[in-house]
């Protein structure tokens, strides 16, 4: 099985990397920061990150994994960690109630193994990315058995091979009106808030070595609804810890928007410090930068996106609680943002570090510079 997978998964050969490395030469507008020069202008973002005890990684779309060897060469060159954009979700793993299909997830594992990349699992419990049979068949009577079996089977399948699991994704939704700010999801309706306890304990049982992460979005800006979410996240993780739920880390997705107002830098570093003070690590798990509020001109957009990302990263990396950064894709060749938030002028968004020709953009340099400037962990 793995042999067959190996034949279809792009393996980065030395020659392939050398050929692609030629294209790694930074675009003129992207000065390579000192650290990167120190370790050679080919240094990828993860190489720069490791100098500060951090890591850099990205999400991998399964279609691009299969079809875009050039992009995957750059993923191998820039990253130390990868995560499946959809391949580890219920919808991909569970075609039917009785079946588990690890094909796509194992293809990512094979790519990661051959390129010595670590892998994080995303995600065991979410209100999206579920197969229709689950949404139709889940009841208060069968939910715990279904959830525990899924987690034991899936986490057990990858036991010892993943560094993190996003155990629960996006549990918060203060607008749903609950005092605990939990989102009204199929899991909450079936099991109540203890679905979180069940999930984290089941993950710990199946693979004690994989770090257990609670992952959510919307905690980045000086906006009332995001301030509420920051407070709700702190309250939730404090409550989980008080109930001896084995949570070990928080993932801040950081789907940024170049026109939104970042808070005073101290606000984000204090937020991360507050989470860290509970004994939890913090990861930036899905960073990209929406540019649909910016003018069409690519030089203007790229500069504004880079400046925004740099300010955000400087603010969160000021806290040693942040241990790593992942973007939600590496190149503008594909981003969920084009489906979810298409630009009115019809132009593709430019939210990621490499452009469609896999050249480093100002955003690449902003991430590199923020990593190089971060206090060592
Ligand atoms: O794999 C099937 C393919 O067989 C089928 O032909 C095709 C057309 O229906 O669909 C493919 O599945 C799609 C999957 O991505 C893989 O490409 C799903 O329809 C599509 O809904 C899914 O979208 C993903 C979404 O999560 C839901 O899982 C996006 O790519 C992904 O970027 C997005 O990622 C989320 C994070 O998990 C959580 N944070 C927010 C982030 C953005 O929404």
């Amino acid at each position: 099985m793995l042999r067959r997978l190996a034949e279809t998964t792009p393996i980065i050969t030395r020659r392939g990397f050398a050929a692609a490395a030629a294209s790694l030469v930074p675009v003129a507008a992207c000065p390579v920061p000192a650290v990167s020069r120190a370790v050679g202008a080919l240094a990828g973002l993860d190489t720069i990150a490791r100098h500060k005890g951090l890591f850099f990684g990205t999400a991998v779309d399964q279609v691009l994994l299969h079809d875009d060897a050039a992009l995957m060469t750059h993923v191998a060159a820039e990253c130390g960690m990868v995560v499946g954009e959809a391949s580890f979700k219920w919808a991909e793993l569970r075609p039917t109630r009785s079946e588990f299909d690890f094909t796509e997830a194992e293809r990512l594992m094979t790519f990661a193994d051959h390129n010595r990349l670590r892998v994080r699992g995303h995600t065991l419990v979410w209100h999206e990315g579920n197969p229709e049979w689950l949404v139709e068949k889940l009841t208060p009577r069968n939910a715990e058995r279904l959830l525990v079996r899924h987690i034991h089977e899936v986490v057990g399948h990858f036991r010892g091979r993943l560094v993190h699991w996003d155990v629960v994704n996006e549990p918060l939704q203060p607008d749903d009106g609950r005092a605990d700010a939990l989102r009204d999801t199929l899991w909450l309706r079936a099991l109540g808030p203890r679905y979180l306890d069940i999930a984290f304990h089941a993950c710990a049982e199946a693979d004690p070595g994989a770090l257990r992460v609670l992952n959510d979005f919307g905690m980045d800006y000086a906006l009332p609804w995001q301030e509420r979410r920051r407070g709700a996240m702190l309250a939730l993780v404090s409550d989980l810890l008080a109930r001896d739920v084995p949570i070990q880390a928080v993932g801040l997705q950081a789907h940024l928007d170049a026109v939104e107002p970042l808070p005073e830098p101290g606000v984000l570093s204090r937020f991360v410090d507050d989470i860290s003070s509970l004994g939890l690590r913090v990861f930036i798990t899905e960073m990209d930068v929406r540019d649909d509020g910016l003018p069409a001109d690519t030089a203007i957009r790229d500069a504004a996106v880079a400046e925004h990302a740099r300010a955000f990263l400087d603010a969160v990396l000021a806290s040693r609680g942040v241990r790593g950064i992942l973007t939600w894709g590496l190149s503008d060749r594909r981003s969920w943002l084009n489906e979810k938030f298409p630009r009115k002028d019809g132009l593709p968004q430019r939210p990621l570090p490499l452009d469609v020709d896999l050249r480093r953009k100002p955003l690449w340099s902003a991430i590199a510079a923020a990593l190089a400037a971060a206090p060592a962990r």
Side-chain angles (χ1 to χ4, degrees):
M1 159 80 150
L2 276 183
R3 238 183 75 68
R4 183 177 60 77
L5 283 170
E7 282 150 17
T8 57
T9 301
I11 309 306
I12 311 308
T13 61
R14 283 212 175 286
R15 192 153 24 92
F17 177 67
S23 73
L24 282 177
V25 176
V27 172
C30 311
V32 179
V35 168
S36 176
R37 271 197 298 279
V39 295
L42 291 189
L45 291 172
D46 184 63
T47 302
I48 298 168
R50 285 204 308 274
H51 282 278
K52 293 300 178 75
L54 292 157
F55 68 80
F56 176 80
T58 198
V60 173
D61 170 78
Q62 57 209 49
V63 174
L64 295 180
L65 171 61
H66 190 276
D67 296 345
D68 195 339
L71 170 63
M72 297 315 295
T73 299
H74 287 265
V75 170
E78 297 284 358
C79 300
M81 189 181 296
V82 288
V83 57
E85 190 166 348
S87 47
F88 285 64
K89 294 171 180 171
W90 278 72
E92 197 60 46
L93 296 176
R94 302 296 302 277
T96 67
R97 183 169 179 171
S98 57
E99 281 179 278
F100 289 81
D101 180 356
F102 295 106
T103 307
E104 287 305 330
E106 285 293 353
R107 277 173 35 69
L108 182 63
M109 296 302 291
T110 301
F111 168 77
D113 292 347
H114 281 266
N115 293 286
R116 292 189 297 281
L117 303 175
R118 294 181 297 167
V119 183
R120 67 188 316 269
H122 173 82
T123 178
L124 297 172
V125 184
W126 191 27
H127 60 282
E128 291 186 33
N130 293 311
E132 280 177 24
W133 67 261
L134 178 71
V135 179
E136 287 162 8
K137 297 205 178 334
L138 194 73
T139 68
R141 277 173 54 86
N142 68 18
E144 181 164 355
R145 194 171 61 254
L146 270 171
L147 180 57
V148 170
R149 180 181 180 227
H150 178 80
I151 294 174
H152 280 172
E153 290 282 338
V154 171
V155 176
H157 177 88
F158 294 104
R159 184 183 175 107
R161 299 194 287 161
L162 298 188
V163 288
H164 306 166
W165 267 107
D166 283 340
V167 177
V168 177
N169 189 47
E170 302 178 8
L172 291 174
Q173 182 43 283
D175 292 348
D176 283 353
R178 288 177 56 97
D180 58 12
L182 287 180
R183 182 185 293 273
D184 178 21
T185 74
L186 68 169
W187 294 109
L188 185 81
R189 288 193 294 278
L191 293 167
R194 72 186 187 90
Y195 82 87
L196 290 127
D197 310 46
I198 293 165
F200 275 93
H201 282 295
C203 185
E205 290 153 9
D207 184 358
L211 209 69
R212 295 177 293 277
V213 186
L214 183 74
N215 192 51
D216 216 324
F217 68 90
M219 292 171 276
D220 318 306
Y221 291 111
L223 297 169
W225 71 275
Q226 300 225 353
E227 285 157 12
R228 276 178 66 199
R229 289 178 67 88
R230 285 194 286 273
M233 174 57 84
L234 285 171
L236 174 58
V237 295
S238 301
D239 187 33
L240 292 173
L241 290 167
R243 313 206 292 256
D244 293 327
V245 173
I247 176 176
Q248 296 167 302
V250 167
L252 306 178
Q253 292 182 9
H255 289 296
L256 304 178
D257 183 336
V259 298
E260 292 293 8
L262 287 167
E264 291 302 310
V267 168
L268 290 179
S269 58
R270 275 194 302 278
F271 173 55
V272 175
D273 285 343
D274 289 345
I275 297 172
S276 306
S277 68
L278 297 170
L280 302 177
R281 299 183 193 184
V282 179
F283 305 112
I284 305 301
T285 52
E286 304 182 14
M287 192 179 97
D288 47 26
V289 188
R290 276 178 69 175
D291 70 9
D292 53 307
L294 295 176
D297 180 278
T298 52
I300 293 173
R301 271 199 270 166
D302 286 357
V305 161
E307 186 184 348
H308 191 83
R310 176 71 197 267
F312 171 81
L313 289 175
D314 283 349
V316 292
L317 289 170
S319 168
R320 289 179 169 80
V322 170
R323 303 301 185 89
I325 310 283
L326 298 110
T327 54
W328 204 242
L330 187 65
S331 114
D332 295 340
R333 288 187 173 182
R334 183 194 182 282
S335 170
W336 69 287
L337 290 169
N338 288 313
E339 291 122 46
K340 191 91 174 180
F341 303 107
R343 285 181 56 91
K344 290 186 174 48
D345 57 18
L347 293 173
Q349 295 215 29
R350 297 172 63 88
L352 295 169
L354 305 185
D355 68 15
V356 292
D357 297 318
L358 304 179
R359 292 174 308 179
R360 291 169 171 176
K361 294 160 56 187
L363 176 55
W364 184 95
S365 286
I367 296 171
L371 291 167
R377 268 66 182 151

